Amino acid sequence: MKKYSYLWKNILVLAVALLFAAVAAHDFLAMRTPEPVAASDGLTRVAKLSEYCANLKGTVGDEEIYMFDSGVPGGTFLVLGGTHPNESAGMMAAIAMAENIEVTAGRVFIMPWTNTSGFTHTSPLDGMQDLFTITLKDGSTRTFRVGNRLTNPVDQWPDRNYYEGTSGRKLVGTETAEIRNVNRLYPGNENGVLTEQVCAGIKNLIDRENVSIVMDMHEGSPEFFYLDTTMAHERALNVASLMAMDMGMDGLDMKAELSGQTSYGLSHRSLGDNTNALMTLMETYNPSMGPLHGKMDDDLIINGNEPNYYQAHLDGYIYYRVKENGIPLIERIARHIVCITKLKDAYNLYYPEAPIEFTCLGSYDDMMKLGLEGVFKPVK
Amino acid sequence: MKKIIAILLAVLFVTAFAACGGKTEEAAPAPAAEAPAEQKQETYTSSQGTVDGYDPNQKTEFAMNTSESVRTFNIGEVDASLFETPILVTSFGQSADTSMMDAIMKRSGVKDYAFNALAQDTDIKNYKTVIIVCGASSKGLGAAGISEADETARAEKIMAAIKETNPAVIMCHLGGSMRRGVLSDKLTDMVLEVAKYMVVVEDANFDGKFTTVAQEKNIPLTYLFAIKDGMDVFSALFNK
Amino acid sequence: MDIELLVLLAMLGVFLIGNLLLKLPVSLSMILGAVAGALVAGEGVPIRHLFEGCFTYVDTILIISTAMLFMTAIQRSGALEALNALIVTKFYKVPALMLILLMFIVMFPGMITGSSTAAVLSAGAIVAPILLKIGIPKARAGAILAVGAIMGMAAPPVNIPAMLIAGGVDMPYIGFEGPLFLITIPCAIFTVLFLGLKYCKNLDIEELKKDLDMEVGKKYGFKLYIPILLLVVLLVLTRAVPKIMPQLGTPLIFLLCAVVAVFTGRRFNAWEGGLEAMDTTIPVLAKLMGVGMFIQILTLTGARGYIVVSCLGWGLVALYIAICTIMPGFGAVSSYGAASVMGVPFLLVLLDTGDQITIAALLSFICCLGDLMPPTALAGNYAAQIVGLKYKPVLKHCVIPFLVCIALAVIYLLNSKYMGFLTR
């Protein structure tokens, strides 16, 4: 009899665990549907990354590349969003660009979800949102994902105790998890782990399409030292400096900083060293990423207002000039798009032989006036 | 017994955490360099640089002449006629600031200038004005593939050439407090021996170094609040 | 009152009620606390977050479970007993050295599993009879085991609170060995000598031998130690020559060595041993899951940010006092929780006072001491059980070593800027 009740107890525990898992699974599976994109009329093709790294075919890493070709010969600008899916402004700016860009010379390629797998889960202990919703001008809504900066362990696991990437970066200790970080594994390896295959796909894309300049869009927690900073490979420093100067003239703080010689595996170092493209990477402020953040909700993601960080800044612990009312998502998206536009202008000044011309949502003030509700288009 | 411990623990937690809520004002003297917030805001600039040897937590407070509203501040009178074209822009220390100087010149519409961060002593004779952007960066030196000793030797040769051909020299320090350090200061001091004009992002003047030099050597000095403010300064200087 | 404070109080309150009044296991109490916090914050029951928190430490859980299988295997095969016998017969003439070596044996399982429970239940159970036989009173022997287990938990290579703190500030868990050894070894030596040395005069080796298993060592000889050596060799090789050595993964290494132990010593029923090992480990694993959920909800509701920002406003003196009192005090809930909830913010505040890795290591050490705190007092309770006492008399003898440990940690903390060389 005792054994019998023991059995039932076990079955009951298992059933509760399964129920718990099923409910959670429902939420996690919802993160596997990518955001719809109402691409602008200039869209010429949606390519797949597997065209540049065949091993990605049929995997979660076989992501979309939105290609806008003006038909006028010129250079090619590659825009990477969502390298780190928890850095929302990156993906959002990429989608906003894909929906509003008009290219008149050269080509622009946009990848909104560079680490597609990272968008399918959230970061444990960080209490992150999985989804957030915005309301557009016509009253319709759009929902976007907040993912994890690393590839989902469901797609790539376990992390090895030791790993040496193709860039020469060694991953040991707790950096072992970085084997799932796209921005540590460049230039990648076509036959490596999933994350490396994605990196190799991007490198091949740059090589085969002869990409001239790349912007990798990021965000950092308020503690991070390089906020409102563009890291540039040495070949791209003049273009980035000119862009920083131009943004300064518009009243937008921006620094240009040289990529570290040993920042192996990061896009600005290892793609800069291994391709002909001018590599740049920009960071904006995102308070939801830092350990001091308060309640995690849509408001924190969308309005970027975290009084804890303002207080910590006043107390002298945060170097970054945190604003009293925070930095809303629209401001960070605008900053990214303006940065890319100004980079394009600076590039054209230095490389007039292969020009890239596009317009996208106008100036910073224009975008701030439009707001999130105006920058994104309604989708069916 | 256990209940008593539990209650005691609960009380401990409650008082501890309640205390953290209210006690912020009367906190004991906290880590170095605590200062009123407003003052701190003023001393920020958008200076750029690397963190090499610089601790952002060790902020030094000092009264600045420039601010968000007062973008530039002059000490002494600049004689613009001293600075003729052609102009060379070069770097002592290879920091990213040099590239910003190139951007300033481009956007100021200055025509007759050459940009060469790694200019050699033999180049000097071709120019009437030499702008030297001072500030050492290990990343920059690494990118150029040269050592601190190489860079110091190049700087010394250039200084010798300058003393020979006597072009007008402008010392630029654009990196702010982050670009102050042993090597940066050494390179800066070399240029200050011959400089006819200094343009400095004021954040770097936390110890009064540049004001003192300006007064002692009677070199005109313009403080910038941020790098971009250099555009007006150089535009006025060269687009005469 | 701030909503975050309310959430925090609800979480701690429900946890304490569950654990102390309803006598629920720590893990279940933490889950209830987490759910209560989410409800107070108006989040409902956020299943996704609870699930995610539960799975946070899945890699650590694999390591601990396999390490426990290994410990049980070498315990049952007779390797640990043989080691005891070896130490006592070789070193009885130098009792201080003998005690220190016995202390290291107590620490060993804690060092490789990062769990004080594992240390007490495996090596502690084997060393205890020797300590008692030497003439050390039960309560003092219990205190030696409890503190030794905690020193083992804090000692490298595996120190889970240090991993949690490092992970919390994006710092790799590298370079912790130096500072952790420098604090745990002196504290362990002090404890065992302070509590035991005066009972170790005039030892009668023949008497002692009666309690030691002198046969198992002789019967199997060197073979007995093969699993331990294999473990050390594999762990070292995979890290020292990673390019040549295939990456086996720590759990697989423990499993392999456990399997080897089945064949190198006394015969035992591997299935039963495995079941027993898992039985002992499950509460620890469940605790890790509970802690994961608890912290996830603390972060989700903003209570964690609230704690950090509040600490930032404290000032250094108050902060050091909090480090010595509240952080080990939090160990009554969970030393892992203390590391994640308090350790991370305290480290953020102290970052610019000295060497960061050393500070993180010392904070993790103080968190580990929380395992002595009643009512949960994992290490203390199990140690008391082994020597056949209630926890209270054992605890009494832990007080002085505890204070010495805290004092040494604070001295190191204040001088961490001179200790940076240890972390390279």
Side-chain angles (χ1 to χ4, degrees):
Chain A
M1 186 61 202
K2 201 180 167 195
K3 200 175 174 187
Y4 190 66
S5 73
Y6 187 69
L7 181 73
W8 276 110
K9 218 162 111 186
N10 281 352
I11 290 175
L12 185 70
V13 169
L14 269 179
V16 171
L18 278 176
L19 186 70
F20 182 54
V23 176
H26 175 265
D27 281 1
F28 280 107
L29 287 174
M31 294 182 76
R32 294 190 169 244
T33 320
E35 294 77 3
V37 175
S40 82
D41 295 340
L43 181 73
T44 36
R45 187 163 90 91
V46 180
K48 294 287 237 175
L49 197 59
S50 58
E51 295 171 31
Y52 301 92
C53 176
N55 287 345
L56 283 172
K57 188 100 194 157
T59 71
V60 61
D62 190 8
E63 61 200 86
E64 293 179 338
I65 309 162
Y66 288 79
M67 294 186 162
F68 299 84
D69 188 344
S70 66
V72 179
T76 302
F77 204 133
L78 171 62
V79 176
L80 299 175
T83 293
H84 293 151
N86 56 333
E87 301 167 10
S88 300
M91 170 197 63
M92 297 291 279
I95 293 180
M97 280 190 79
E99 296 189 354
N100 295 283
I101 197 166
E102 198 178 320
V103 185
T104 50
R107 299 180 298 176
V108 176
F109 298 164
I110 299 173
M111 295 172 67
W113 311 281
T114 301
N115 188 349
T116 34
S117 168
F119 278 96
T120 62
H121 69 140
T122 42
S123 164
L125 296 196
D126 286 347
M128 290 300 281
Q129 290 287 95
D130 48 354
L131 305 166
F132 65 96
T133 301
I134 60 170
T135 307
L136 304 184
K137 268 193 297 203
D138 66 348
S140 67
T141 58
R142 284 185 68 170
T143 299
F144 299 91
R145 295 171 292 170
V146 183
N148 185 326
R149 67 192 277 276
L150 302 175
T151 300
N152 194 334
V154 168
D155 298 319
Q156 185 187 315
W157 190 81
D159 304 330
R160 302 173 198 182
N161 279 339
Y162 173 91
Y163 190 73
E164 190 174 331
T166 44
S167 65
R169 188 184 196 88
K170 292 186 181 73
L171 302 175
V172 286
T174 42
E175 227 202 347
T176 49
E178 301 292 305
I179 194 172
R180 290 182 282 122
N181 182 350
V182 167
N183 202 28
R184 293 294 179 278
L185 297 183
Y186 288 116
N189 177 357
E190 284 188 50
N191 300 308
V193 292
L194 176 75
T195 314
E196 277 185 310
Q197 291 180 9
V198 169
C199 291
I202 292 169
K203 183 203 175 276
N204 293 344
L205 167 74
I206 292 173
D207 284 344
R208 275 185 229 162
E209 300 295 340
N210 205 11
V211 169
S212 331
I213 179 166
V214 181
M215 166 49 81
D216 187 4
M217 295 186 284
H218 285 253
E219 293 200 281
S221 68
E223 291 83 357
F224 190 56
F225 203 72
Y226 290 114
L227 297 179
D228 291 345
T229 300
T230 298
M231 306 298 298
H233 187 260
E234 45 266 26
R235 283 186 292 105
L237 185 63
N238 50 4
V239 171
S241 297
L242 195 54
M243 172 276 294
M245 178 69 58
D246 289 349
M247 284 189 76
M249 295 314 290
D250 285 4
L252 299 169
D253 271 349
M254 178 56 64
K255 292 172 263 183
E257 184 52 77
L258 199 52
S259 160
Q261 285 297 299
T262 51
S263 301
Y264 300 127
L266 278 77
S267 60
H268 48 81
R269 171 51 51 205
S270 288
L271 283 178
D273 284 350
N274 292 289
T275 70
N276 292 324
L278 303 174
M279 292 302 310
T280 62
L281 179 156
M282 204 270 270
E283 305 264 2
T284 49
Y285 166 91
N286 183 339
S288 76
M289 292 166 62
L292 267 63
H293 75 73
K295 188 177 165 70
M296 179 65 76
D297 50 16
D298 280 15
D299 180 61
L300 180 58
I301 304 281
I302 294 170
N303 296 321
N305 184 10
E306 182 46 75
N308 284 353
Y309 273 110
Y310 182 61
Q311 186 57 47
H313 167 67
L314 294 184
D315 288 346
Y317 290 105
I318 301 291
Y319 182 66
Y320 184 75
R321 215 182 321 174
V322 179
K323 290 189 192 168
E324 189 170 1
N325 297 318
I327 303 183
L329 190 52
I330 179 64
E331 197 174 324
R332 284 135 56 195
I333 293 172
R335 196 170 258 285
H336 276 292
I337 296 179
V338 169
C339 175
I340 290 171
T341 311
K342 303 259 185 215
L343 260 184
K344 173 258 302 176
D345 293 341
Y347 162 86
N348 286 338
L349 200 69
Y350 280 96
Y351 301 90
E353 68 283 1
I356 304 166
E357 285 298 349
F358 61 80
T359 53
C360 185
L361 289 164
S363 71
Y364 179 81
D365 290 338
D366 292 340
M367 279 181 258
M368 292 304 288
K369 258 180 229 146
L370 282 172
L372 278 182
E373 64 276 17
V375 160
F376 292 94
K377 291 181 180 168
V379 289
K380 281 177 193 143
Chain B
M1 182 60 200
K2 276 193 174 179
K3 279 182 198 168
I4 298 171
I5 296 173
I7 292 164
L8 278 177
L9 265 174
V11 171
L12 175 73
F13 281 127
V14 173
T15 44
F17 291 121
C20 29
K23 272 195 185 159
T24 349
E25 288 88 356
E26 51 183 62
E34 289 275 333
E38 296 75 26
Q39 201 184 333
K40 208 172 284 175
Q41 292 248 334
E42 277 178 15
T43 57
Y44 278 114
T45 73
S46 54
S47 57
Q48 59 151 20
T50 67
V51 282
D52 300 343
Y54 173 76
D55 181 357
N57 291 313
Q58 299 290 321
K59 291 185 204 84
T60 321
E61 305 300 333
F62 65 104
M64 297 224 312
N65 298 300
T66 58
S67 65
E68 288 280 1
S69 48
V70 183
R71 305 299 305 198
T72 60
F73 181 83
N74 291 314
I75 298 177
E77 281 291 314
V78 196
D79 179 2
S81 66
L82 284 176
F83 306 104
E84 296 173 60
T85 53
I87 306 160
L88 171 69
V89 177
T90 189
S91 169
F92 276 14
Q94 303 302 323
S95 69
D97 315 328
T98 320
S99 195
M100 291 303 282
M101 189 64 217
D102 185 26
I104 288 177
M105 298 297 271
K106 264 210 163 48
R107 283 290 181 240
S108 306
V110 181
K111 293 278 179 298
D112 199 4
Y113 87 96
F115 174 79
N116 183 359
L118 290 166
Q120 297 300 317
D121 49 341
T122 47
D123 300 330
I124 301 298
K125 60 179 182 295
N126 304 325
Y127 301 95
K128 290 193 175 157
T129 299
V130 179
I131 299 176
I132 303 178
V133 184
C134 296
S137 147
S138 54
K139 278 202 265 181
L141 291 170
I146 54 178
S147 67
E148 288 185 11
D150 294 340
E151 182 68 353
T152 313
R154 188 183 69 90
E156 279 165 354
K157 279 187 184 168
I158 287 183
M159 290 316 295
I162 286 174
K163 280 171 189 162
E164 219 168 87
T165 58
N166 233 353
V169 174
I170 300 175
M171 196 289 297
C172 277
H173 191 287
L174 303 178
S177 56
M178 282 186 219
R179 209 67 84 190
R180 288 287 308 278
V182 178
L183 184 58
S184 291
D185 281 7
K186 183 177 159 191
L187 295 167
T188 309
D189 290 342
M190 285 163 76
V191 184
L192 286 178
E193 278 179 33
V194 298
K196 297 269 191 313
Y197 183 32
M198 291 189 267
V199 178
V200 176
V201 169
E202 193 175 6
D203 184 39
N205 191 41
F206 56 86
D207 55 356
K209 177 187 170 77
F210 294 100
T211 308
T212 312
V213 173
Q215 284 161 352
E216 279 176 2
K217 297 197 174 182
N218 203 16
I219 308 173
L221 163 65
T222 299
Y223 280 127
L224 310 177
F225 182 66
I227 294 182
K228 64 160 186 177
D229 301 319
M231 253 180 61
D232 294 337
V233 174
F234 286 99
S235 180
L237 194 65
F238 295 120
N239 298 331
K240 314 173 256 227
Chain C
M1 190 154 56
D2 293 317
I3 176 77
E4 289 89 352
L5 182 60
L6 211 61
V7 169
L8 190 65
L9 292 178
M11 292 178 77
L12 292 171
V14 169
F15 166 76
L16 290 174
I17 290 169
N19 189 227
L20 300 179
L21 299 182
L22 305 179
K23 311 275 180 214
L24 290 171
V26 176
S27 48
L28 283 181
S29 310
M30 296 210 95
I31 296 172
L32 291 180
V35 172
L39 286 173
V40 171
E43 295 281 343
V45 181
I47 298 280
R48 181 179 70 84
H49 285 289
L50 292 171
F51 188 82
E52 191 169 277
C54 171
F55 269 82
T56 306
Y57 300 116
V58 66
D59 290 18
T60 316
I61 283 171
L62 281 175
I63 293 176
I64 295 182
S65 351
T66 51
M68 202 57 208
L69 288 174
F70 170 75
M71 282 315 304
T72 312
I74 59 168
Q75 187 188 346
R76 293 202 168 199
S77 77
L80 274 188
E81 286 168 60
L83 202 60
N84 269 335
L86 194 71
I87 290 172
V88 173
T89 48
K90 295 269 185 236
F91 297 105
Y92 73 97
K93 283 180 185 152
V94 205
L97 188 59
M98 179 182 76
L99 282 178
I100 292 170
L101 289 173
L102 288 174
M103 189 66 157
F104 288 163
I105 293 198
V106 176
M107 286 171 69
F108 179 67
M111 289 163 69
I112 52 176
T113 60
S115 152
S116 60
T117 315
V120 169
L121 292 181
S122 51
I126 291 166
V127 171
I130 305 173
L131 295 178
L132 297 177
K133 193 73 193 172
I134 289 169
I136 299 174
K138 280 183 174 180
R140 284 180 172 246
I144 291 177
L145 296 185
V147 178
I150 282 169
M151 292 305 124
M153 168 190 183
V158 179
N159 173 332
I160 296 172
M163 291 176 175
L164 296 177
I165 293 177
V169 293
D170 248 352
M171 176 194 282
Y173 179 67
I174 299 170
F176 281 70
E177 289 85 354
L180 284 176
F181 270 131
L182 196 70
I183 184 111
T184 50
I185 300 294
C187 287
I189 292 176
F190 167 79
T191 304
V192 71
L193 295 183
F194 172 77
L195 290 172
L197 192 59
K198 68 176 167 190
Y199 301 96
C200 293
K201 307 267 159 68
N202 311 318
L203 291 178
D204 181 355
I205 186 65
E206 294 311 318
E207 261 309 294
L208 281 177
K209 276 187 179 172
K210 283 183 195 160
D211 263 340
L212 291 167
D213 188 339
M214 304 305 292
E215 292 312 307
V216 67
K218 279 185 199 140
K219 188 173 171 195
Y220 299 101
F222 174 73
K223 206 171 82 172
L224 205 49
Y225 302 113
I226 288 178
I228 302 177
L229 286 177
L230 182 66
L231 178 78
V232 174
V233 167
L234 287 178
L235 284 178
V236 169
L237 281 188
T238 46
R239 283 162 179 78
V241 282
K243 286 183 192 171
I244 307 163
M245 187 71 194
Q247 289 300 307
L248 298 175
T250 314
L252 185 58
I253 292 177
F254 275 122
L255 263 189
L256 280 177
C257 297
V259 171
V260 171
V262 175
F263 302 102
T264 54
R266 208 190 279 143
R267 297 293 297 272
F268 65 94
N269 185 329
W271 176 250
E272 256 180 28
L275 280 184
E276 190 200 280
M278 290 316 294
D279 224 33
T280 334
T281 330
I282 277 186
V284 182
L285 305 185
K287 247 184 92 177
L288 273 174
M289 297 179 192
V291 170
M293 296 192 202
F294 199 82
I295 298 169
Q296 177 97 5
I297 299 301
L298 274 180
T299 319
L300 173 71
T301 55
R304 179 171 150 179
Y306 177 83
I307 301 174
V308 185
V309 173
S310 305
C311 295
L312 291 177
W314 275 1
L316 276 189
V317 177
L319 195 74
Y320 281 115
I321 295 171
I323 286 174
C324 302
T325 53
I326 299 181
M327 208 159 70
F330 205 105
V333 179
S334 151
S335 53
Y336 299 164
S340 211
V341 177
M342 321 284 317
V344 173
F346 286 166
L347 175 62
L348 286 172
V349 181
L350 291 178
L351 272 184
D352 52 349
T353 66
D355 182 70
Q356 304 180 359
I357 297 175
T358 308
I359 296 172
L362 293 169
L363 291 178
S364 76
F365 174 78
I366 298 174
C367 289
C368 291
L369 290 173
D371 264 9
L372 280 174
M373 282 286 156
T376 44
L378 276 185
N381 272 321
Y382 284 123
Q385 219 170 25
I386 284 175
V387 293
L389 285 175
K390 286 268 182 203
Y391 180 43
K392 218 175 126 193
V394 173
L395 181 68
K396 231 167 60 187
H397 289 286
C398 292
V399 172
I400 290 181
F402 175 84
L403 292 178
V404 168
C405 290
I406 293 265
L408 190 62
V410 171
I411 292 171
Y412 283 0
L413 261 185
L414 292 173
N415 293 292
S416 72
K417 55 174 170 285
Y418 307 114
M419 295 166 67
F421 68 94
L422 288 168
T423 58
R424 276 168 213 134

